[in-house]
């Protein structure tokens, strides 16, 4: 088992083929009568550096890790959030941070509605956080230039964006946009970040599961805890006893688990056998992996895959589960 303090990654190979259809819309318990044909789930470990600028090399590593690109994470955070902290300089040179509401347009550009009393400096930063099931708080900080929309067409388009997000009209002379220069993406507090270029941020797509991820994760943590423990024992190469585990979040490429043990607290990434694009596909993949894990545990079929070997130590977390 390899331990890391900041980053981890995995590589998944062949995709599974289920031998018979199952209910893909809800989670099910593994079949107890007879085993099905094993799913091919092959994983290996890859390490990535999270403190360097996002380049083509970083893109390659992120792709092989079966985690979304940092730019995708930033876009997802901005899509799911509606409040943040705008930091700018006052006229006397002092930094000032104020809470703001925001929406984003199609390429992720933040749209703000500011009080007339606030005259922000052109150089600004918008910091946004997204709590994931009370276990992790990924965040992004957008650095850029803040200004009013350039023309009447832009004002109408941005007003429509605001109306769609909040269901209310906005005073046109209070609209501002942040022209994104670069983005600092962080997985959680006390972690290294990754700088994302403006073009990468604008060209990225938010995760397709973003609107249902929290609902799915809460369902699993409430009703499928036995499966989560089994995933730790079957798919992860552990040399310690798991005291408690919970799913943190899910995206198109896999899911993250928080693992508590007498030795410490860790996060582990488990990839899906194949990329999913909607809630139905996510539940189908989870059900298939649950079935295979149960069959391996009961020795109905061999563990014909390489277990996940890389764990990420969680800094500053209690060693007691659920705290």
């Amino acid at each position: 088992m390899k331990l890391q303090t900041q980053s981890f990654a995995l590589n998944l190979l062949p995709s599974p083929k289920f031998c018979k259809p199952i209910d893909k819309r809800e989670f099910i318990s593994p079949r107890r009568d007879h085993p099905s044909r094993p799913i091919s789930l092959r994983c290996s470990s890859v390490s990535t550096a999270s403190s360097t600028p996002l380049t083509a090399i970083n893109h390659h590593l992120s792709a092989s890790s079966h985690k979304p690109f940092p730019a995708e994470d930033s876009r997802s955070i901005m899509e799911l959030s509606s409040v943040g902290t705008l930091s700018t300089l006052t006229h006397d040179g002092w930094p000032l941070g104020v809470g703001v509401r925001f929406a984003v347009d199609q390429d992720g550009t933040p749209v703000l509605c500011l009080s007339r009393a606030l005259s922000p400096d052109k150089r600004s930063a918008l910091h946004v956080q997204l709590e994931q099931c009370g276990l992790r708080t990924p965040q992004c900080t957008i650095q850029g230039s803040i200004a009013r929309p350039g023309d009447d067409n832009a004002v109408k388009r941005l007003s429509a964006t605001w109306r769609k997000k909040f269901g209310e009209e906005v005073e046109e002379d209070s609209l501002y946009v942040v022209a994104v220069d670069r983005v600092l993406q962080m997985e959680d507090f006390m972690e290294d970040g990754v700088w994302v270029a403006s073009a990468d941020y604008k060209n990225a797509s938010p995760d397709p599961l973003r609107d249902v991820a929290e609902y799915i994760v809460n369902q699993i943590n409430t009703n499928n805890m036995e499966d989560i423990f089994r995933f730790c024992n079957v798919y992860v190469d552990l040399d310690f006893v798991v005291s408690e585990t919970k799913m943190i979040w899910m995206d198109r490429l896999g899911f993250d688990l928080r693992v508590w043990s007498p030795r410490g607290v860790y996060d582990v990434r488990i990839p899906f056998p194949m990329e999913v694009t909607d809630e139905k596909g996510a539940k189908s993949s989870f059900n298939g992996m649950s079935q295979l894990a149960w069959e391996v545990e009961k020795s109905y079929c061999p563990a014909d895959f390489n277990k996940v070997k890389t764990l990420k130590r969680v800094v500053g977390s209690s060693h007691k589960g659920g705290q």
Side-chain angles (χ1 to χ4, degrees):
M1 177 182 67
K2 296 171 59 179
L3 299 183
Q4 294 176 286
T5 58
Q6 294 296 344
S7 61
F8 65 97
L10 307 172
N11 186 27
L12 189 66
L13 295 178
S15 302
K17 294 184 181 298
F18 298 101
C19 64
K20 60 177 63 177
I22 61 175
D23 185 351
K24 298 182 180 180
R25 288 175 291 182
E26 297 296 335
F27 299 108
I28 61 173
S29 299
R31 293 177 60 87
R32 299 300 195 257
D33 49 359
H34 58 80
S36 60
R37 185 162 58 88
I39 300 171
S40 178
L41 184 74
R42 302 180 182 275
C43 306
S44 61
S45 300
V46 178
S47 296
T48 63
S50 59
S51 59
T52 56
L54 189 63
T55 63
I57 294 177
N58 296 105
H59 272 284
H60 172 72
L61 291 174
S62 185
S64 66
S65 73
H66 278 262
K67 295 184 63 179
F69 296 123
E72 294 178 85
D73 287 336
S74 293
R75 289 294 304 272
S76 296
I77 291 173
M78 296 299 290
E79 289 279 349
L80 289 172
S81 304
S82 59
V83 296
T85 301
L86 178 69
S87 298
T88 184
L89 295 176
T90 61
H91 293 302
D92 56 5
W94 284 92
L96 176 67
V98 295
V100 296
R101 292 193 300 166
F102 70 90
V104 291
D105 67 6
Q106 292 183 346
D107 65 358
T109 298
V111 182
L112 311 179
C113 180
L114 302 180
S115 168
R116 293 188 181 93
L118 182 64
S119 300
D121 185 84
K122 182 178 180 181
R123 296 168 300 169
S124 302
L126 178 62
H127 179 74
V128 181
Q129 299 178 175
L130 177 68
E131 185 178 277
Q132 293 180 336
C133 299
L135 297 174
R136 186 173 64 190
T137 307
Q139 47 203 278
C140 65
T141 302
I142 294 180
Q143 289 186 337
S145 301
I146 188 169
R148 295 186 184 277
D151 53 53
D152 291 341
N153 289 333
V155 169
K156 292 180 180 179
R157 176 173 54 82
L158 298 176
S159 295
T161 298
W162 187 273
R163 186 166 52 251
K164 181 179 179 181
K165 179 75 171 183
F166 296 105
E168 63 185 31
E169 298 297 332
V170 61
E171 295 185 14
E172 295 181 352
D173 58 357
S174 65
L175 281 176
Y176 287 81
V177 293
V178 179
V180 179
D181 290 334
R182 62 175 183 170
V183 181
L184 178 63
Q185 172 64 34
M186 299 175 63
E187 288 191 354
D188 204 349
F189 297 111
M190 299 178 64
E191 295 201 5
D192 293 339
V194 175
W195 283 106
V196 177
S198 174
D200 291 330
Y201 172 79
K202 292 181 178 180
N203 291 330
S205 297
D207 188 77
L209 297 185
R210 63 189 182 279
D211 293 325
V212 298
E214 185 173 17
Y215 166 74
I216 294 176
V217 170
N218 286 336
Q219 268 196 317
I220 292 173
N221 285 334
T222 300
N223 303 317
N224 296 80
M225 192 53 59
E226 180 181 348
D227 292 316
I228 299 302
F229 270 96
R230 187 176 291 116
F231 281 12
C232 292
N233 294 326
V234 172
Y235 294 130
V236 186
D237 185 13
L238 299 177
D239 58 359
F240 55 77
V241 176
V242 175
S243 303
E244 184 174 343
T245 182
K246 290 184 178 180
M247 184 175 289
I248 303 172
W249 201 252
M250 177 181 291
D251 54 61
R252 64 186 177 86
L253 298 178
F255 50 88
D256 300 317
L257 302 182
R258 174 68 51 86
V259 177
W260 288 269
S261 75
R263 183 182 299 181
V265 184
Y266 304 91
D267 286 352
V268 59
R269 175 73 172 184
I270 299 181
F272 283 132
M274 59 192 306
E275 181 178 345
V276 300
T277 58
D278 54 25
E279 179 181 358
K280 185 176 180 180
K283 290 183 175 182
S284 175
S285 290
F286 182 89
N287 288 335
M289 294 175 70
S290 175
Q291 177 71 28
L292 174 61
W294 180 82
E295 292 174 8
V296 170
E297 183 181 70
K298 299 300 182 182
S299 300
Y300 286 131
C301 67
D304 187 23
F305 49 81
N306 297 322
K307 292 189 175 185
V308 176
K309 297 182 180 297
T310 302
L311 302 182
K312 170 185 168 185
R313 185 182 294 274
V314 179
V315 179
S317 176
S318 170
H319 288 189
K320 295 181 180 180
Q323 296 184 3

